[in-house]
Amino acid sequence: MRVLSILLVLLLGLTLIYCQSSNEKNIVEDSFPISLGDPFIMLHGNTYYAYGTNAKDGIEVYTSDNLMHWKKAQALALHKDNSWGGRWFWAPEVYYIKEKNKFFMYYSADEHICVATADSPFGPFVQDVKEPMIADEKCIDNSLFIDSDGKPYLYFDRFNDGLNIWVAELEADLKTIKRSTLAKCINVSQPWEEVWPRVNEGAFVTEYKGIYYMTYSANSYESPFYGVGYATASSPVGPWTKYDNNPILQKPDSLVGVGHSAMFKDKEGHLRIVFHAHNSQKNIHPRHMYIGSVRFTDDTTPVVQMTGDILKPVAGK
């Protein structure tokens, strides 16, 4: 009986080890990278929402409590049936506008900039009038910035002299561009940006200690040398001066094709940056979402620096 008891204990132990190993294996196998290009993260309430370029018929949304583990919503946040344009849904950014009690999604469709609204961060985001913000010109990568005085600005890319970044004021509806205020911000001007081809795109603007910081990406998104730089200004409309030591993010760790970033604050109030990278050293698609940490130095003109390890978030099935 004693021998039998010992054998039973050993068998039970082996079974527990096997089950634990199997469960750990399932956790790994059932998790996968977040396939979002041009990613954007919004913290609303106590939940993170991630949007980006991937779906053929619109814009996807993922949710997370901790930035590492994400869940994909079953329905698209934006479906092409509710939008102008039927293809190429790119680079969404979502903001909750308290005064309007609405969520605003700024995105590109068929190489035109658009805006749609919803009552929930999950959507459905809908265009009240199905038309782009600028109907007579191809533009992409529209990004909203509301200054401390309440004045709203829209940054976006125009297809002239390659891709370059422009800004314009918005009307109070946050949907209508004041065409008379259009102003050029930046274009290709630094050696690191001239690898392939002439591209400055994906602007995101934030303000720190009275200085406006615009992060942007340069080189083609297809290039392994795609990267992130930044420029500063004393006004949301410029003039903008690029940081001499750009890029601040290019080929980190083993990642290539790194860019189209946006900043956000996490639940602890720390400044984060979200961006995409190529699928691998050899394949571009599907691009994956990554998250880094950034800080401003104590210099007279604070410098934006990447800090710490890069987070590689995953989603579960």
Side-chain angles (χ1 to χ4, degrees):
M1 288 295 294
R2 184 175 181 183
V3 173
L4 180 60
S5 298
I6 293 173
L7 288 175
L8 287 173
V9 170
L10 289 174
L11 180 61
L12 178 60
L14 289 172
T15 301
L16 289 173
I17 292 172
Y18 174 79
C19 290
Q20 182 178 6
S21 176
S22 297
N23 288 336
E24 290 176 352
K25 183 178 180 182
N26 286 336
I27 290 172
V28 173
E29 289 182 348
D30 289 347
S31 299
F32 50 91
I34 311 294
S35 294
L36 290 178
D38 315 321
F40 182 85
I41 291 177
M42 174 185 67
L43 174 60
H44 182 71
N46 204 39
T47 301
Y48 297 103
Y49 298 84
Y51 308 83
T53 302
N54 187 50
K56 178 182 178 181
D57 293 333
I59 302 295
E60 299 170 339
V61 56
Y62 288 76
T63 58
S64 174
D65 294 326
N66 57 17
L67 293 179
M68 182 62 198
H69 301 97
W70 295 78
K71 183 178 181 180
K72 182 179 176 180
Q74 291 185 346
L76 293 174
L78 172 87
H79 191 276
K80 66 180 181 181
D81 291 348
N82 295 322
S83 170
W84 178 89
R87 61 176 183 170
W88 299 346
F89 295 93
W90 299 340
E93 295 189 0
V94 175
Y95 301 88
Y96 175 65
I97 307 301
K98 184 177 180 181
E99 294 75 14
K100 299 181 183 296
N101 194 27
K102 288 280 186 181
F103 295 88
F104 281 67
M105 176 186 285
Y106 296 86
Y107 64 101
S108 306
D110 202 5
E111 295 186 325
H112 286 71
I113 54 175
C114 299
V115 57
T117 60
D119 295 325
S120 163
F122 290 104
F125 284 87
V126 177
Q127 282 190 300
D128 298 330
V129 179
K130 292 184 181 180
E131 61 183 25
M133 301 179 81
I134 299 179
D136 58 353
E137 181 183 348
K138 287 184 176 183
C139 305
I140 59 173
D141 295 352
N142 46 335
S143 179
L144 176 71
F145 173 74
I146 300 178
D147 203 3
S148 57
D149 62 3
K151 185 177 290 187
Y153 299 86
L154 192 75
Y155 298 85
F156 55 94
D157 310 335
R158 299 181 79 179
F159 289 79
N160 44 30
D161 185 25
L163 269 181
N164 47 72
I165 297 171
W166 288 64
V167 64
E169 293 180 26
L170 290 177
E171 298 285 1
D173 63 2
L174 301 183
K175 298 178 180 179
T176 306
I177 291 176
K178 296 182 180 181
R179 295 290 287 262
S180 63
T181 67
L182 275 167
K184 188 176 182 179
C185 297
I186 58 172
N187 56 268
V188 172
S189 60
Q190 293 183 326
W192 76 276
E193 304 170 347
E194 298 174 355
V195 177
W196 168 42
R198 292 185 61 79
V199 169
N200 277 180
E201 65 179 5
F204 182 84
V205 172
T206 190
E207 181 269 335
Y208 182 75
K209 291 188 175 180
I211 300 173
Y212 297 86
Y213 290 79
M214 176 194 290
T215 51
Y216 67 95
S217 295
N219 299 309
S220 168
Y221 81 91
E222 297 176 301
S223 169
F225 292 95
Y226 197 52
V228 176
Y230 77 88
T232 58
S234 58
S235 162
V237 298
W240 295 91
T241 301
K242 290 183 178 178
Y243 176 51
D244 287 338
N245 293 322
N246 280 334
I248 61 169
L249 182 62
Q250 188 182 54
K251 288 190 171 183
D253 298 338
S254 60
L255 303 177
V256 297
V258 169
H260 200 112
S261 64
M263 294 189 192
F264 66 98
K265 285 188 176 180
D266 63 20
K267 294 180 182 181
E268 288 72 40
H270 300 139
L271 193 59
R272 300 282 196 146
I273 186 168
V274 60
F275 55 91
H276 72 238
H278 289 178
N279 181 274
S280 67
Q281 299 263 348
K282 296 182 180 180
N283 298 313
I284 298 172
H285 298 287
R287 294 167 292 174
H288 295 156
M289 181 178 83
Y290 297 89
I291 300 170
S293 297
V294 294
R295 73 180 188 98
F296 292 96
T297 67
D298 294 328
D299 297 281
T300 303
T301 300
V303 173
V304 179
Q305 291 183 336
M306 298 288 298
T307 64
D309 296 330
I310 291 174
L311 190 64
K312 300 178 181 180
V314 296
K317 291 182 180 179

